[in-house]
Amino acid sequence: FLVAGRALVGVAIGFASGTVPMYSAELSPSAQRGVIVTLNDLNVVVGQLLASGVNVAFKDIAGGWRWSMGLAAVPAAVLFVGFFFLP
């Protein structure tokens, strides 16, 4: 189940990485389109940096991987709820 779950998450991330910038570009005014898509890319990179920092912070704690995985569910839950408010 672990391999199948990782494959599913990989496909979902790939799908989101392709559709979110396109969706943002379609909805944004043409004068701000580049800035909005660039900010999306910046947010992705900052999120990866923060996730790496969390992993480093929990590496020496017993069961720290559980905290890392559990904290990763928070932005996923916020994103899921946000989907219901998209136009």
Side-chain angles (χ1 to χ4, degrees):
F1 289 114
L2 185 60
V3 174
R6 287 185 61 101
L8 180 64
V9 168
V11 169
I13 289 171
F15 180 72
S17 297
T19 57
V20 169
M22 182 173 54
Y23 184 79
S24 297
E26 289 291 329
L27 290 182
S28 61
S30 60
Q32 299 173 340
R33 189 168 293 148
V35 173
I36 290 175
V37 173
T38 301
L39 286 175
N40 175 63
D41 291 338
L42 179 65
N43 286 333
V44 168
V45 173
V46 169
Q48 291 171 339
L49 179 66
L50 290 174
S52 296
V54 167
N55 289 335
V56 168
F58 284 110
K59 72 176 182 166
D60 293 326
I61 297 173
W65 67 271
R66 290 183 175 97
W67 283 100
S68 295
M69 296 301 288
L71 289 173
V74 173
V78 171
L79 184 63
F80 180 74
V81 170
F83 283 147
F84 294 108
F85 297 100
L86 290 173

